[in-house]
Short mmCIF file of all heavy atoms in Angstrom, two decimals:
data_model
loop_
_atom_site.label_atom_id
_atom_site.label_comp_id
_atom_site.label_asym_id
_atom_site.label_seq_id
_atom_site.Cartn_x
_atom_site.Cartn_y
_atom_site.Cartn_z
N PRO L 288 -134.12 135.26 88.31
CA PRO L 288 -135.41 135.74 88.66
C PRO L 288 -136.38 135.81 87.45
O PRO L 288 -135.94 136.13 86.29
CB PRO L 288 -135.15 137.05 89.40
CG PRO L 288 -133.76 137.11 89.67
CD PRO L 288 -133.12 136.34 88.60
N ARG L 289 -137.58 135.55 87.82
CA ARG L 289 -138.74 135.69 86.70
C ARG L 289 -138.88 137.19 86.36
O ARG L 289 -138.90 137.47 85.13
CB ARG L 289 -140.00 135.20 87.28
CG ARG L 289 -141.25 135.55 86.42
CD ARG L 289 -141.20 134.81 85.03
NE ARG L 289 -142.51 135.12 84.32
CZ ARG L 289 -142.66 136.16 83.64
NH1 ARG L 289 -141.62 137.07 83.54
NH2 ARG L 289 -143.77 136.46 82.95
N VAL L 290 -138.72 138.05 87.31
CA VAL L 290 -139.02 139.41 86.99
C VAL L 290 -137.94 140.28 87.77
O VAL L 290 -137.70 139.97 89.03
CB VAL L 290 -140.30 140.06 87.40
CG1 VAL L 290 -140.47 141.51 87.23
CG2 VAL L 290 -141.43 139.28 86.66
N GLN L 291 -137.15 141.21 87.21
CA GLN L 291 -136.34 142.11 87.86
C GLN L 291 -136.78 143.55 87.48
O GLN L 291 -136.90 143.86 86.29
CB GLN L 291 -134.87 141.91 87.39
CG GLN L 291 -134.37 140.48 87.77
CD GLN L 291 -132.94 140.16 87.31
OE1 GLN L 291 -132.07 140.68 87.83
NE2 GLN L 291 -132.89 139.38 86.26
N THR L 292 -136.93 144.39 88.51
CA THR L 292 -137.52 145.64 88.24
C THR L 292 -136.59 146.72 88.76
O THR L 292 -136.05 146.68 89.84
CB THR L 292 -138.83 145.88 88.91
OG1 THR L 292 -139.74 144.79 88.51
CG2 THR L 292 -139.50 147.18 88.61
N LEU L 293 -136.43 147.82 87.90
CA LEU L 293 -135.48 148.96 88.22
C LEU L 293 -136.48 150.21 88.35
O LEU L 293 -137.47 150.29 87.64
CB LEU L 293 -134.44 149.15 87.24
CG LEU L 293 -133.46 148.09 87.03
CD1 LEU L 293 -132.44 148.42 85.87
CD2 LEU L 293 -132.72 147.81 88.35
N ARG L 294 -136.12 151.01 89.33
CA ARG L 294 -136.97 152.15 89.65
C ARG L 294 -136.88 153.28 88.65
O ARG L 294 -135.84 153.55 88.21
CB ARG L 294 -136.68 152.65 91.08
CG ARG L 294 -137.40 153.82 91.49
CD ARG L 294 -137.44 154.16 93.00
NE ARG L 294 -137.92 155.46 93.34
CZ ARG L 294 -139.28 155.70 93.38
NH1 ARG L 294 -140.05 154.70 93.15
NH2 ARG L 294 -139.65 156.88 93.70
N THR L 295 -137.96 153.89 88.44
CA THR L 295 -138.15 155.23 87.65
C THR L 295 -138.34 156.25 88.64
O THR L 295 -138.88 156.21 89.70
CB THR L 295 -139.29 155.20 86.56
OG1 THR L 295 -140.43 154.89 87.38
CG2 THR L 295 -139.13 154.13 85.62
N GLU L 296 -137.77 157.50 88.31
CA GLU L 296 -137.97 158.73 89.14
C GLU L 296 -138.32 159.86 88.41
O GLU L 296 -137.93 159.98 87.20
CB GLU L 296 -136.55 158.83 89.88
CG GLU L 296 -136.17 157.76 90.77
CD GLU L 296 -134.91 158.10 91.52
OE1 GLU L 296 -134.31 159.17 91.22
OE2 GLU L 296 -134.49 157.22 92.33
N PRO L 297 -139.16 160.76 88.91
CA PRO L 297 -139.45 162.10 88.30
C PRO L 297 -138.27 162.89 88.13
O PRO L 297 -137.39 162.99 88.96
CB PRO L 297 -140.51 162.65 89.27
CG PRO L 297 -140.99 161.61 90.24
CD PRO L 297 -139.80 160.59 90.29
N VAL L 298 -138.27 163.67 87.02
CA VAL L 298 -137.23 164.66 86.84
C VAL L 298 -137.98 166.04 86.64
O VAL L 298 -138.69 166.21 85.72
CB VAL L 298 -136.42 164.38 85.56
CG1 VAL L 298 -135.38 165.44 85.34
CG2 VAL L 298 -135.71 163.02 85.71
N ILE L 299 -137.77 166.89 87.60
CA ILE L 299 -138.60 168.24 87.55
C ILE L 299 -137.77 169.19 86.62
O ILE L 299 -136.52 169.52 86.94
CB ILE L 299 -138.78 168.70 88.86
CG1 ILE L 299 -139.37 167.65 89.77
CG2 ILE L 299 -139.51 170.12 88.98
CD1 ILE L 299 -140.79 167.28 89.28
N ARG L 300 -138.40 169.73 85.58
CA ARG L 300 -137.79 170.72 84.76
C ARG L 300 -138.79 171.79 84.53
O ARG L 300 -139.86 172.00 85.32
CB ARG L 300 -137.45 170.06 83.43
CG ARG L 300 -136.36 168.99 83.60
CD ARG L 300 -135.81 168.67 82.22
NE ARG L 300 -134.86 167.62 82.25
CZ ARG L 300 -134.94 166.31 81.91
NH1 ARG L 300 -136.14 166.03 81.37
NH2 ARG L 300 -133.98 165.44 81.98
N ASP L 301 -138.60 172.68 83.57
CA ASP L 301 -139.37 173.96 83.43
C ASP L 301 -140.77 173.80 82.89
O ASP L 301 -141.58 174.71 83.19
CB ASP L 301 -138.63 174.87 82.40
CG ASP L 301 -137.19 175.14 82.86
OD1 ASP L 301 -136.37 174.15 83.13
OD2 ASP L 301 -136.88 176.38 83.09
N SER L 302 -141.12 172.69 82.21
CA SER L 302 -142.47 172.60 81.68
C SER L 302 -143.52 172.53 82.62
O SER L 302 -144.76 172.67 82.30
CB SER L 302 -142.61 171.43 80.62
OG SER L 302 -142.52 170.21 81.39
N CYS L 303 -143.23 172.25 83.92
CA CYS L 303 -144.26 172.25 84.98
C CYS L 303 -144.40 173.56 85.59
O CYS L 303 -145.35 173.64 86.45
CB CYS L 303 -144.01 171.13 85.89
SG CYS L 303 -142.59 171.36 87.01
N GLY L 304 -143.49 174.50 85.35
CA GLY L 304 -143.61 175.74 86.03
C GLY L 304 -142.43 176.04 86.94
O GLY L 304 -142.15 177.05 87.47
N CYS L 305 -141.60 174.95 87.19
CA CYS L 305 -140.35 175.17 88.00
C CYS L 305 -139.20 175.69 87.11
O CYS L 305 -139.31 175.61 85.87
CB CYS L 305 -139.96 173.76 88.54
SG CYS L 305 -141.14 173.25 89.81
N GLU L 306 -138.25 176.23 87.72
CA GLU L 306 -137.00 176.72 87.01
C GLU L 306 -135.92 175.78 87.35
O GLU L 306 -135.09 176.11 88.26
CB GLU L 306 -136.75 178.22 87.35
CG GLU L 306 -137.90 179.13 86.82
CD GLU L 306 -137.51 180.61 87.11
OE1 GLU L 306 -136.47 180.73 87.58
OE2 GLU L 306 -138.39 181.32 86.85
N GLY L 307 -135.89 174.62 86.73
CA GLY L 307 -134.86 173.67 87.10
C GLY L 307 -133.75 173.41 86.11
O GLY L 307 -132.88 172.58 86.28
N THR L 308 -133.73 174.25 85.09
CA THR L 308 -132.73 173.93 83.94
C THR L 308 -131.46 174.76 84.07
O THR L 308 -131.57 176.07 84.27
CB THR L 308 -133.37 174.28 82.54
OG1 THR L 308 -134.59 173.53 82.47
CG2 THR L 308 -132.29 173.91 81.50
N ASP L 309 -130.30 174.11 84.12
CA ASP L 309 -129.12 174.68 84.10
C ASP L 309 -128.74 175.32 82.74
O ASP L 309 -128.77 174.64 81.81
CB ASP L 309 -127.93 173.85 84.55
CG ASP L 309 -126.53 174.48 84.48
OD1 ASP L 309 -126.27 175.35 85.24
OD2 ASP L 309 -125.83 174.01 83.60
N MET L 310 -128.57 176.57 82.54
CA MET L 310 -128.47 177.23 81.19
C MET L 310 -127.25 176.78 80.46
O MET L 310 -127.29 176.62 79.22
CB MET L 310 -128.50 178.78 81.38
CG MET L 310 -129.89 179.31 81.77
SD MET L 310 -131.27 178.72 80.75
CE MET L 310 -130.73 179.38 79.05
N ASP L 311 -126.13 176.59 81.16
CA ASP L 311 -124.99 176.08 80.50
C ASP L 311 -125.23 174.76 79.90
O ASP L 311 -124.81 174.44 78.71
CB ASP L 311 -123.82 175.95 81.56
CG ASP L 311 -123.26 177.36 81.97
OD1 ASP L 311 -123.62 178.39 81.22
OD2 ASP L 311 -122.58 177.42 83.05
N THR L 312 -125.84 173.87 80.62
CA THR L 312 -126.14 172.48 80.19
C THR L 312 -127.11 172.61 78.92
O THR L 312 -126.97 171.91 77.98
CB THR L 312 -126.79 171.60 81.20
OG1 THR L 312 -125.85 171.49 82.34
CG2 THR L 312 -127.09 170.32 80.69
N ALA L 313 -128.15 173.44 79.08
CA ALA L 313 -129.15 173.64 78.01
C ALA L 313 -128.46 174.19 76.80
O ALA L 313 -128.80 173.67 75.67
CB ALA L 313 -130.20 174.67 78.50
N ILE L 314 -127.53 175.13 76.83
CA ILE L 314 -126.90 175.64 75.63
C ILE L 314 -126.08 174.54 74.99
O ILE L 314 -126.03 174.43 73.78
CB ILE L 314 -125.94 176.77 76.07
CG1 ILE L 314 -126.78 178.02 76.52
CG2 ILE L 314 -125.04 177.18 74.92
CD1 ILE L 314 -125.98 179.08 77.15
N LYS L 315 -125.34 173.69 75.86
CA LYS L 315 -124.59 172.64 75.24
C LYS L 315 -125.45 171.58 74.38
O LYS L 315 -125.04 171.20 73.42
CB LYS L 315 -123.77 171.95 76.31
CG LYS L 315 -122.68 172.79 76.95
CD LYS L 315 -121.94 171.99 77.97
CE LYS L 315 -120.82 172.88 78.64
NZ LYS L 315 -120.17 172.19 79.73
N LYS L 316 -126.61 171.35 75.03
CA LYS L 316 -127.52 170.35 74.47
C LYS L 316 -128.09 171.07 73.18
O LYS L 316 -128.28 170.32 72.19
CB LYS L 316 -128.64 169.96 75.39
CG LYS L 316 -128.14 169.16 76.49
CD LYS L 316 -129.24 168.60 77.42
CE LYS L 316 -128.70 167.65 78.48
NZ LYS L 316 -129.85 167.18 79.31
N ARG L 317 -128.38 172.30 73.16
CA ARG L 317 -129.01 172.95 71.90
C ARG L 317 -127.95 172.93 70.80
O ARG L 317 -128.28 172.73 69.65
CB ARG L 317 -129.42 174.47 72.26
CG ARG L 317 -130.45 174.54 73.26
CD ARG L 317 -131.80 173.94 72.79
NE ARG L 317 -132.50 174.76 71.76
CZ ARG L 317 -133.68 174.41 71.27
NH1 ARG L 317 -134.39 173.43 71.73
NH2 ARG L 317 -134.33 175.31 70.36
N VAL L 318 -126.76 173.11 71.20
CA VAL L 318 -125.53 173.07 70.18
C VAL L 318 -125.56 171.64 69.54
O VAL L 318 -125.40 171.49 68.37
CB VAL L 318 -124.20 173.48 70.76
CG1 VAL L 318 -123.10 173.16 69.87
CG2 VAL L 318 -124.31 174.93 71.11
N ARG L 319 -125.53 170.73 70.45
CA ARG L 319 -125.55 169.27 69.97
C ARG L 319 -126.77 169.07 69.06
O ARG L 319 -126.67 168.32 68.05
CB ARG L 319 -125.48 168.25 71.09
CG ARG L 319 -125.61 166.85 70.69
CD ARG L 319 -125.69 165.88 71.91
NE ARG L 319 -126.07 164.57 71.47
CZ ARG L 319 -126.26 163.53 72.22
NH1 ARG L 319 -126.01 163.80 73.57
NH2 ARG L 319 -126.61 162.33 71.82
N GLN L 320 -127.87 169.52 69.46
CA GLN L 320 -129.17 169.35 68.72
C GLN L 320 -129.01 170.13 67.33
O GLN L 320 -129.31 169.39 66.27
CB GLN L 320 -130.36 169.95 69.36
CG GLN L 320 -131.66 169.86 68.51
CD GLN L 320 -132.72 170.75 69.08
OE1 GLN L 320 -132.53 171.85 69.52
NE2 GLN L 320 -133.98 170.28 69.00
N SER L 321 -128.40 171.09 67.30
CA SER L 321 -128.13 171.93 66.03
C SER L 321 -127.21 171.12 65.08
O SER L 321 -127.41 170.87 63.94
CB SER L 321 -127.64 173.31 66.24
OG SER L 321 -127.33 173.95 64.99
N GLN L 322 -126.21 170.51 65.72
CA GLN L 322 -125.32 169.64 64.91
C GLN L 322 -125.99 168.42 64.33
O GLN L 322 -125.68 168.05 63.29
CB GLN L 322 -124.06 169.28 65.86
CG GLN L 322 -123.15 170.46 66.14
CD GLN L 322 -122.11 170.14 67.23
OE1 GLN L 322 -122.25 169.18 67.91
NE2 GLN L 322 -121.12 170.98 67.25
N GLU L 323 -126.90 167.84 65.16
CA GLU L 323 -127.48 166.66 64.74
C GLU L 323 -128.41 166.97 63.48
O GLU L 323 -128.57 166.24 62.53
CB GLU L 323 -128.40 165.96 65.91
CG GLU L 323 -127.50 165.22 66.82
CD GLU L 323 -128.35 164.48 67.89
OE1 GLU L 323 -129.53 164.59 67.81
OE2 GLU L 323 -127.77 163.78 68.70
N TYR L 324 -129.16 168.17 63.63
CA TYR L 324 -130.06 168.53 62.59
C TYR L 324 -129.18 168.90 61.30
O TYR L 324 -129.67 168.45 60.22
CB TYR L 324 -130.78 169.85 62.92
CG TYR L 324 -131.99 169.50 63.88
CD1 TYR L 324 -132.59 170.50 64.63
CD2 TYR L 324 -132.37 168.27 64.12
CE1 TYR L 324 -133.68 170.30 65.45
CE2 TYR L 324 -133.48 167.96 64.94
CZ TYR L 324 -134.06 169.07 65.69
OH TYR L 324 -135.17 168.78 66.51
N GLU L 325 -128.08 169.34 61.42
CA GLU L 325 -127.31 169.66 60.25
C GLU L 325 -126.84 168.34 59.60
O GLU L 325 -126.75 168.23 58.44
CB GLU L 325 -125.96 170.38 60.69
CG GLU L 325 -126.30 171.99 61.03
CD GLU L 325 -125.07 172.64 61.38
OE1 GLU L 325 -124.01 172.15 61.41
OE2 GLU L 325 -125.24 173.82 61.78
N LYS L 326 -126.45 167.32 60.44
CA LYS L 326 -126.06 166.02 59.95
C LYS L 326 -127.26 165.41 59.27
O LYS L 326 -127.04 164.69 58.17
CB LYS L 326 -125.68 165.18 61.05
CG LYS L 326 -125.07 163.84 60.65
CD LYS L 326 -124.42 162.99 61.88
CE LYS L 326 -123.74 161.73 61.34
NZ LYS L 326 -123.08 160.91 62.43
N ILE L 327 -128.48 165.53 59.85
CA ILE L 327 -129.68 164.98 59.14
C ILE L 327 -129.90 165.54 57.71
O ILE L 327 -130.24 164.91 56.88
CB ILE L 327 -130.95 165.06 60.09
CG1 ILE L 327 -130.74 164.22 61.30
CG2 ILE L 327 -132.31 164.75 59.35
CD1 ILE L 327 -131.87 164.45 62.27
N LEU L 328 -129.77 166.94 57.78
CA LEU L 328 -129.89 167.61 56.43
C LEU L 328 -128.80 167.00 55.49
O LEU L 328 -129.09 166.94 54.25
CB LEU L 328 -129.77 169.14 56.62
CG LEU L 328 -130.86 169.78 57.48
CD1 LEU L 328 -130.52 171.26 57.70
CD2 LEU L 328 -132.17 169.74 56.65
N ASP L 329 -127.58 166.93 55.84
CA ASP L 329 -126.56 166.30 55.10
C ASP L 329 -127.01 164.95 54.42
O ASP L 329 -126.90 164.62 53.39
CB ASP L 329 -125.15 166.22 55.76
CG ASP L 329 -124.49 167.53 55.97
OD1 ASP L 329 -124.92 168.43 55.22
OD2 ASP L 329 -123.67 167.65 56.89
N LEU L 330 -127.51 164.12 55.47
CA LEU L 330 -128.00 162.90 54.97
C LEU L 330 -129.11 162.91 54.07
O LEU L 330 -129.11 162.05 53.10
CB LEU L 330 -128.34 161.98 56.35
CG LEU L 330 -127.30 161.50 57.25
CD1 LEU L 330 -127.82 161.04 58.50
CD2 LEU L 330 -126.40 160.40 56.59
N ILE L 331 -130.03 163.84 54.22
CA ILE L 331 -131.07 163.93 53.29
C ILE L 331 -130.61 164.30 51.92
O ILE L 331 -131.09 163.85 50.87
CB ILE L 331 -132.13 164.98 53.81
CG1 ILE L 331 -132.84 164.53 54.99
CG2 ILE L 331 -133.14 165.39 52.66
CD1 ILE L 331 -133.76 165.52 55.75
N ARG L 332 -129.56 165.31 51.88
CA ARG L 332 -128.98 165.57 50.63
C ARG L 332 -128.22 164.41 49.90
O ARG L 332 -128.51 164.12 48.75
CB ARG L 332 -127.97 166.73 50.86
CG ARG L 332 -127.37 167.29 49.56
CD ARG L 332 -126.54 168.45 49.77
NE ARG L 332 -125.31 168.23 50.55
CZ ARG L 332 -125.14 168.59 51.80
NH1 ARG L 332 -126.01 169.25 52.49
NH2 ARG L 332 -123.91 168.29 52.48
N TYR L 333 -127.47 163.65 50.70
CA TYR L 333 -126.88 162.42 50.14
C TYR L 333 -127.94 161.54 49.70
O TYR L 333 -127.77 160.79 48.71
CB TYR L 333 -126.08 161.79 51.28
CG TYR L 333 -124.66 162.53 51.41
CD1 TYR L 333 -124.39 163.08 52.64
CD2 TYR L 333 -123.67 162.47 50.38
CE1 TYR L 333 -123.07 163.63 52.83
CE2 TYR L 333 -122.60 163.14 50.57
CZ TYR L 333 -122.25 163.74 51.82
OH TYR L 333 -121.01 164.30 51.96
N ASN L 334 -129.06 161.30 50.46
CA ASN L 334 -130.11 160.41 49.94
C ASN L 334 -130.79 160.73 48.62
O ASN L 334 -131.03 160.07 47.73
CB ASN L 334 -131.17 160.34 50.96
CG ASN L 334 -130.66 159.39 52.21
OD1 ASN L 334 -129.71 158.75 52.16
ND2 ASN L 334 -131.52 159.54 53.24
N THR L 335 -130.90 162.22 48.46
CA THR L 335 -131.39 162.76 47.20
C THR L 335 -130.50 162.42 46.09
O THR L 335 -130.81 161.97 45.01
CB THR L 335 -131.54 164.28 47.39
OG1 THR L 335 -132.48 164.58 48.43
CG2 THR L 335 -132.17 164.83 46.06
N TYR L 336 -129.16 162.70 46.26
CA TYR L 336 -128.14 162.36 45.28
C TYR L 336 -128.21 160.80 44.95
O TYR L 336 -128.15 160.43 43.82
CB TYR L 336 -126.76 162.65 45.73
CG TYR L 336 -126.49 164.18 45.97
CD1 TYR L 336 -125.45 164.62 46.80
CD2 TYR L 336 -127.21 165.04 45.24
CE1 TYR L 336 -125.30 165.96 46.94
CE2 TYR L 336 -127.02 166.37 45.35
CZ TYR L 336 -125.93 166.89 46.19
OH TYR L 336 -125.68 168.27 46.40
N THR L 337 -128.38 160.06 46.02
CA THR L 337 -128.39 158.59 45.82
C THR L 337 -129.57 158.27 44.91
O THR L 337 -129.46 157.43 43.96
CB THR L 337 -128.50 157.86 47.11
OG1 THR L 337 -127.43 158.23 47.98
CG2 THR L 337 -128.65 156.41 46.93
N PHE L 338 -130.74 158.76 45.17
CA PHE L 338 -131.86 158.51 44.49
C PHE L 338 -131.80 158.93 42.96
O PHE L 338 -132.11 158.11 42.07
CB PHE L 338 -133.20 159.20 44.96
CG PHE L 338 -134.38 159.04 44.34
CD1 PHE L 338 -135.17 157.93 44.48
CD2 PHE L 338 -134.80 160.09 43.43
CE1 PHE L 338 -136.28 157.71 43.75
CE2 PHE L 338 -136.06 159.84 42.75
CZ PHE L 338 -136.74 158.68 42.91
N VAL L 339 -131.14 160.06 42.75
CA VAL L 339 -130.91 160.47 41.33
C VAL L 339 -130.02 159.61 40.69
O VAL L 339 -130.24 159.20 39.54
CB VAL L 339 -130.47 161.96 41.37
CG1 VAL L 339 -130.12 162.31 39.99
CG2 VAL L 339 -131.57 162.87 41.92
N GLU L 340 -128.81 159.28 41.22
CA GLU L 340 -127.91 158.44 40.70
C GLU L 340 -128.30 157.04 40.36
O GLU L 340 -128.09 156.51 39.27
CB GLU L 340 -126.59 158.49 41.53
CG GLU L 340 -125.78 159.69 41.60
CD GLU L 340 -124.43 159.53 42.29
OE1 GLU L 340 -124.14 158.37 42.62
OE2 GLU L 340 -123.84 160.53 42.66
N MET L 341 -129.14 156.52 41.24
CA MET L 341 -129.52 155.18 41.14
C MET L 341 -130.69 155.04 40.08
O MET L 341 -131.06 153.81 39.68
CB MET L 341 -129.99 154.54 42.48
CG MET L 341 -128.89 154.28 43.41
SD MET L 341 -129.50 153.20 44.87
CE MET L 341 -128.03 153.04 45.75
N SER L 342 -131.28 156.07 39.72
CA SER L 342 -132.46 156.02 38.76
C SER L 342 -131.99 155.33 37.39
O SER L 342 -132.81 154.80 36.68
CB SER L 342 -132.98 157.30 38.52
OG SER L 342 -132.12 158.17 37.91
N ASP L 343 -130.61 155.39 37.13
CA ASP L 343 -130.22 154.84 35.87
C ASP L 343 -129.49 153.56 36.03
O ASP L 343 -128.86 153.08 35.05
CB ASP L 343 -129.34 155.89 35.26
CG ASP L 343 -129.15 155.67 33.72
OD1 ASP L 343 -130.05 155.21 33.03
OD2 ASP L 343 -128.01 155.87 33.24
N VAL L 344 -129.44 152.95 37.24
CA VAL L 344 -128.73 151.79 37.42
C VAL L 344 -129.42 150.62 36.67
O VAL L 344 -130.70 150.44 36.82
CB VAL L 344 -128.64 151.42 38.95
CG1 VAL L 344 -128.13 150.00 39.14
CG2 VAL L 344 -127.63 152.48 39.55
N GLN L 345 -128.67 149.81 36.01
CA GLN L 345 -129.26 148.79 35.19
C GLN L 345 -129.14 147.43 35.74
O GLN L 345 -129.84 146.44 35.63
CB GLN L 345 -128.56 148.70 33.82
CG GLN L 345 -128.63 149.90 32.94
CD GLN L 345 -130.17 150.25 32.59
OE1 GLN L 345 -130.90 149.39 32.14
NE2 GLN L 345 -130.46 151.57 32.84
N ARG L 346 -128.11 147.17 36.58
CA ARG L 346 -127.85 145.90 37.29
C ARG L 346 -127.74 146.06 38.73
O ARG L 346 -127.11 147.15 39.26
CB ARG L 346 -126.54 145.28 36.65
CG ARG L 346 -126.54 144.90 35.17
CD ARG L 346 -125.27 144.47 34.65
NE ARG L 346 -124.80 143.17 35.31
CZ ARG L 346 -123.80 143.16 36.18
NH1 ARG L 346 -123.06 144.23 36.49
NH2 ARG L 346 -123.40 141.93 36.66
N ALA L 347 -128.13 145.07 39.53
CA ALA L 347 -128.11 145.23 40.97
C ALA L 347 -126.69 145.33 41.46
O ALA L 347 -126.45 145.99 42.52
CB ALA L 347 -128.73 144.00 41.56
#
Side-chain angles (χ1 to χ4, degrees):
R289 167 70 178 80
V290 178
Q291 299 176 76
T292 304
L293 298 178
R294 177 168 169 73
T295 58
E296 295 183 355
V298 178
I299 304 302
R300 298 196 181 103
D301 300 57
S302 70
C303 68
C305 294
E306 295 182 2
T308 303
D309 174 68
M310 289 308 299
D311 289 344
T312 301
I314 290 171
K315 291 177 181 178
K316 288 183 175 181
R317 297 293 285 188
V318 169
R319 176 181 165 185
Q320 179 194 36
S321 177
Q322 292 172 338
E323 285 191 356
Y324 283 165
E325 288 178 4
K326 186 173 182 179
I327 290 173
L328 291 174
D329 286 341
L330 289 169
I331 292 173
R332 184 172 68 252
Y333 280 117
N334 286 348
T335 302
Y336 293 157
T337 299
F338 178 78
V339 172
E340 287 185 11
M341 285 191 181
S342 62
D343 195 39
V344 170
Q345 301 297 316
R346 298 173 63 251

